[in-house]
Amino acid sequence: MPFLVILDVSHNEVSEFFGFEPPKNLKEVNFSHNSLTQMKDMSAYEALVKLDLDHNRLERIHGLEKCCKLTHLSVAHNHVAGISSLDDVPLADLNLRGNRLKSTEGLENLSRLQSLDLSLNHISSLAGLDNLCMLGSINLEKNQISEIEECKYIHSLLLLRDLNLLGNPVQEQPEYRLSVVFLLQHLTMLDQDKVTVEEKVFSINKYDPPMEVVAARDHMTQLMYQLMQPQLLYDSTLPSDDAPYPMLVLTGPQACGKRELAHRLCEDFHEYFAYGICHTTREPYFGEENGRDYHFVSEEEFQLLEHRGAFLQTVQHGGHKYGLSRDAIEDVAREGLACCVQMELEGVLSLKKSIFEPRYILFLPTIVDNYKAVLRSRDRYTDAQIEAAVSRMELYADFNREQPSFFDNVIRCDYWDKAYQMLERVVKKYLLLEDQEEGEGETTETPPQLGSDSPTSSHSATAPEPSELLYRDHFTKTQQSHKTPVELASIRRQERPVREAVTGKSPGVYSWLIRSSDVSPGHSVDTIKGDRRPGSGVKPVLPPIPPGRKTPQANSPLASPGLRHRQVQASAQR
């Protein structure tokens, strides 16, 4: 029968394997449920596509090396204890169910395999399956797999959709299903049950949550702790909701210089800024001072402060906890200054969910060799920690690229002197000090527009030069927007009464901003001791301006809240 294509001799007592002349066109052969004990060389069957040898007595698979078209092979319920001679066979479907296999050895080079059935064996490890990149279905039911970590061998199989681990000891592990779903996010079926989208999201949020999720959890936690405490009127609370307390946050990867630059900025601009000291559970590095760089506390003290609602945000980084306390901000606000703090990206994400609206400046190293040299010079980082820090540098860069308006400014910090020069220029823009310096010597001074550079304005005071390192300005996107004449006229009408109220010409409907109860005309506002308790009817009075201190413009985004409040009240009295 030279034209025979399909041969089915199943459920017989056949004991001789292919005991006939090979038909050249034979494609499918079924020898299941017979008495075969061994295979022979099948190099003459070049057209064979499918071979079924289930329920026989075979102990070894061999003789298929020349079957260059064989894609489906089933040797279920035999006595096979090892796999060999299949490397050159283009198998797509392999069934080895119910044999005596103890490992997956011999399957490493079946790169075209799409479906694999290894159920009812004695397999305890999945090592050897990591190269089967075309695999979409694996049946491992009733084997000896006991560790969830075995899934790491099939983690890179991106086409894997169906995995069956029923009847394995691994199912007794706590949170087994959620762990497997987390490790194999591309699965659609696990243990013959559909994997839902909710399971995938929940597994990620549990075992490797995105920074946004961690920040949201931290914010909710700290907020609940704060609400459990007696509520107070804080010094950082300003007279109106649209005038947030001015803060400056410097962020960037570790050892990028943000803490050193923050201290230098607070020293040079001490009439505007003071450093907000965070808490940490790590030990102080060489040269660090307790109460100046950090408040160094134990794990127990940190946890106690957290439960007391002392922190606005906390993060865990490098195995240690860091936290920005409410007192760190209030101590600065009590002096009538803006608070300058430094923190990692996770802290920024958490702080952005709070009531504060700081300016965020990212310090980003761009030369990897320079950054590594800085880390090595500190003699406190291992090679593994240095590589982890470099990956964090890439994390910051990717985050900034994916969310271009997240940071108000981005400054390259490969060289700290140049970075500080840029920081100084940025801060002067925030404080509108450049306009003051340009206007020195003029006989008249035009009051600045209220929206000239405030966080709610629609344009910046001065446009950044394209050649500057300041290549990511927070207001660039709004500068490029085009407003119609009607919109511009509306904005001017809204700004006029506010500007007149600030200058004292016509308080009008904004008079509540500058009204001070119990203040007689002949007394100075700064000399009256106001009751700070809510409902007392007297606004809290911030300390007077020290002699020789520069007075920032009242509407400066980073001007001291106390100075701004006193200027408004003084203008009203005039």
Side-chain angles (χ1 to χ4, degrees), residues 126 129-130 135-138 140 145 147-165 170 176-191 193-197 199-201 203-204 207:
L126 301 182
L129 300 182
D130 47 345
L135 206 55
S137 174
I138 304 178
L140 291 163
I145 299 173
E147 299 295 333
I148 296 177
E149 287 74 13
E150 292 296 326
C151 291
K152 66 184 179 181
Y153 294 110
I154 56 177
H155 175 71
S156 60
L157 306 183
L158 301 181
L159 297 182
L160 184 62
R161 296 293 181 268
D162 188 358
L163 177 64
N164 186 359
L165 292 172
V170 69
Y176 147 77
R177 182 176 177 87
L178 205 61
S179 301
V180 174
V181 170
F182 168 70
L183 292 172
L184 306 173
Q185 280 286 302
H186 34 273
L187 286 182
T188 58
M189 294 289 294
L190 176 60
D191 299 338
D193 192 12
K194 184 179 179 180
V195 177
T196 64
V197 175
E199 283 181 307
K200 293 184 179 183
V201 173
S203 66
I204 291 179
Y207 296 111

Side-chain angles (χ1 to χ4, degrees), residues 330-350:
E330 298 307 319
D331 290 344
V332 176
R334 197 170 297 117
E335 299 298 325
L337 300 173
C339 186
C340 178
V341 298
Q342 56 88 19
M343 61 183 64
E344 293 283 340
L345 179 58
E346 292 84 351
V348 172
L349 289 167
S350 180

Side-chain angles (χ1 to χ4, degrees), residues 250 256-258 260-262 264-265 361-365 409-427 469-470:
L250 309 184
C256 71
K258 57 183 182 293
E260 292 81 357
L261 295 176
R264 183 176 175 183
L265 179 71
I361 299 179
L362 170 62
F363 288 93
L364 186 62
N409 297 97
V410 178
I411 299 176
R412 297 189 182 113
C413 59
D414 299 308
Y415 305 99
W416 289 3
D417 289 338
K418 293 183 178 179
Y420 183 75
Q421 292 176 6
M422 289 306 307
L423 175 62
E424 192 175 27
R425 293 176 61 183
V426 168
V427 169
L469 293 180
L470 181 63

Side-chain angles (χ1 to χ4, degrees), residues 81-210:
I83 305 169
S84 61
S85 306
L86 293 179
D87 292 353
D88 299 326
V89 183
L91 289 175
D93 188 353
L94 178 60
N95 186 357
L96 295 170
R97 177 184 177 91
N99 281 279
R100 301 175 181 177
L101 298 173
K102 295 183 178 180
S103 69
T104 59
E105 185 179 358
L107 300 176
E108 299 88 350
N109 298 320
L110 298 180
S111 58
R112 299 184 184 181
L113 199 61
Q114 300 177 19
S115 177
L116 178 62
D117 191 343
L118 296 172
S119 57
L120 299 175
N121 280 280
H122 308 285
I123 298 173
S124 59
S125 176
L126 301 182
L129 300 182
D130 47 345
N131 293 327
L132 309 184
C133 57
M134 300 293 291
L135 206 55
S137 174
I138 304 178
N139 187 359
L140 291 163
E141 184 177 355
K142 294 184 179 179
N143 275 276
Q144 300 299 320
I145 299 173
S146 58
E147 299 295 333
I148 296 177
E149 287 74 13
E150 292 296 326
C151 291
K152 66 184 179 181
Y153 294 110
I154 56 177
H155 175 71
S156 60
L157 306 183
L158 301 181
L159 297 182
L160 184 62
R161 296 293 181 268
D162 188 358
L163 177 64
N164 186 359
L165 292 172
L166 289 172
N168 282 270
V170 69
Q171 289 196 310
E172 300 175 2
Q173 295 282 347
E175 299 182 344
Y176 147 77
R177 182 176 177 87
L178 205 61
S179 301
V180 174
V181 170
F182 168 70
L183 292 172
L184 306 173
Q185 280 286 302
H186 34 273
L187 286 182
T188 58
M189 294 289 294
L190 176 60
D191 299 338
Q192 301 178 359
D193 192 12
K194 184 179 179 180
V195 177
T196 64
V197 175
E198 290 77 10
E199 283 181 307
K200 293 184 179 183
V201 173
F202 187 75
S203 66
I204 291 179
N205 290 344
K206 181 176 180 62
Y207 296 111
D208 188 22

Side-chain angles (χ1 to χ4, degrees), residues 162-381:
D162 188 358
L163 177 64
N164 186 359
L165 292 172
L166 289 172
N168 282 270
V170 69
Q171 289 196 310
E172 300 175 2
Q173 295 282 347
E175 299 182 344
Y176 147 77
R177 182 176 177 87
L178 205 61
S179 301
V180 174
V181 170
F182 168 70
L183 292 172
L184 306 173
Q185 280 286 302
H186 34 273
L187 286 182
T188 58
M189 294 289 294
L190 176 60
D191 299 338
Q192 301 178 359
D193 192 12
K194 184 179 179 180
V195 177
T196 64
V197 175
E198 290 77 10
E199 283 181 307
K200 293 184 179 183
V201 173
F202 187 75
S203 66
I204 291 179
N205 290 344
K206 181 176 180 62
Y207 296 111
D208 188 22
M211 290 187 294
E212 292 83 354
V213 174
V214 175
R217 289 177 180 172
D218 176 70
H219 173 67
M220 289 189 294
T221 302
Q222 306 311 324
L223 182 61
M224 292 305 300
Y225 283 138
Q226 293 170 21
L227 291 176
M228 294 168 63
Q229 308 303 319
Q231 300 303 298
L232 305 172
L233 179 63
Y234 294 107
D235 292 285
S236 60
T237 304
L238 294 188
S240 64
D241 294 334
D242 58 350
Y245 172 71
M247 286 180 62
L248 183 64
V249 176
L250 309 184
T251 184
Q254 64 186 98
C256 71
K258 57 183 182 293
R259 180 164 54 86
E260 292 81 357
L261 295 176
H263 278 300
R264 183 176 175 183
L265 179 71
C266 293
E267 292 174 0
D268 293 347
F269 292 82
H270 59 274
E271 65 269 31
Y272 301 106
F273 295 103
Y275 186 72
I277 307 173
C278 297
H279 287 69
T280 182
T281 59
R282 70 168 174 81
E283 295 294 327
Y285 295 142
F286 178 77
E288 290 184 335
E289 298 180 15
N290 186 29
R292 180 182 182 272
D293 298 295
Y294 287 101
H295 294 298
F296 297 98
V297 296
S298 64
E299 291 276 354
E300 293 75 15
E301 291 176 308
F302 192 96
Q303 188 175 9
L304 183 61
L305 289 171
E306 191 174 18
H307 290 170
R308 289 177 179 175
F311 293 116
L312 291 172
Q313 58 87 7
T314 60
V315 297
Q316 183 131 5
H317 179 68
H320 304 286
K321 292 182 179 179
Y322 297 81
L324 175 63
S325 67
R326 166 70 77 165
D327 288 341
I329 295 177
E330 298 307 319
D331 290 344
V332 176
R334 197 170 297 117
E335 299 298 325
L337 300 173
C339 186
C340 178
V341 298
Q342 56 88 19
M343 61 183 64
E344 293 283 340
L345 179 58
E346 292 84 351
V348 172
L349 289 167
S350 180
L351 188 61
K352 280 215 171 191
K353 297 182 181 298
S354 68
I355 61 172
F356 293 97
E357 299 179 13
R359 296 288 189 113
Y360 297 95
I361 299 179
L362 170 62
F363 288 93
L364 186 62
T366 58
I367 304 177
V368 177
D369 292 339
N370 283 17
Y371 183 53
K372 289 183 177 180
V374 172
L375 293 171
R376 291 193 182 96
S377 66
R378 302 198 173 190
D379 295 329
R380 70 174 73 117
Y381 302 110

